[in-house]
Amino acid sequence: MNRRLAIKQVLIFAGGLALLPSCLRNEGKVSIQLQHLDISAAQEKLLAEIAELIIPKTNTSGAKDLGLHLFVLKMLDDCYDKAEQEQFINGLKAFEGLEGAELKQLLTEANANKAGLAKEISQFFSIMKSRTIGGYLNSKYVMSNLVIWELVPGRYNGYFPVKTA
């Protein structure tokens, strides 16, 4: 057998093995691996929109840029019990089909804790908001770009003005 031909065939076979998992990927599933939650791609996209409405992109990165909706899903999957996960999913279903102004209106009502709002929506928004903000404040972006860290106890300022009584 020709050695060049054998090497060529092995490389083609290895390339095919590398591409095979992406071809077998189940469409319509969430982009991260979750053990307890069953979230579709449409629900993931909706969560990204809700997170972006909570922390919009300004001159700093928004929630969608930082992938905070994935953080919320991972935290919900790992740290919440089954009942709270079901309440979150039921609350999320109330937001399905809403876009733009309708979505923003319902989120505003949930944020204001408007009377007459379903309990699932309030609990969903409570978890979503707290985890989104927590994820943002603990993100690498915020910790490295927005928070100025100084070694404790800080700089010594010998010229600090002192007020006399």
Side-chain angles (χ1 to χ4, degrees), residues 140-151:
K140 181 180 177 183
Y141 173 77
V142 170
M143 289 296 177
S144 61
N145 295 329
L146 302 180
V147 175
I148 299 170
W149 183 81
E150 290 188 18
L151 186 64

Side-chain angles (χ1 to χ4, degrees), residues 12-86:
I12 290 173
F13 182 72
L17 282 179
L19 293 176
L20 187 63
S22 63
C23 295
L24 296 177
R25 185 175 168 210
N26 192 3
E27 291 295 324
K29 284 296 200 182
V30 70
S31 58
I32 60 172
Q33 185 175 7
L34 301 172
Q35 294 178 352
H36 306 291
L37 294 175
D38 188 27
I39 302 288
S40 67
Q43 289 174 325
E44 180 187 347
K45 185 179 176 186
L46 178 63
L47 281 174
E49 292 298 324
I50 292 171
E52 186 69 20
L53 287 173
I54 293 172
I55 300 178
K57 182 175 184 172
T58 56
N59 56 353
T60 60
S61 296
K64 199 184 286 185
D65 294 338
L66 299 176
L68 294 177
H69 62 288
L70 299 176
F71 174 76
V72 171
L73 284 175
K74 194 63 177 170
M75 290 296 290
L76 184 70
D77 189 52
D78 289 345
C79 302
Y80 286 83
D81 62 11
K82 186 86 175 159
E84 290 173 319
Q85 291 173 356
E86 289 177 6

Side-chain angles (χ1 to χ4, degrees), residues 84-95:
E84 290 173 319
Q85 291 173 356
E86 289 177 6
Q87 289 174 348
F88 184 86
I89 297 299
N90 290 336
L92 177 62
K93 288 178 182 175
F95 288 91

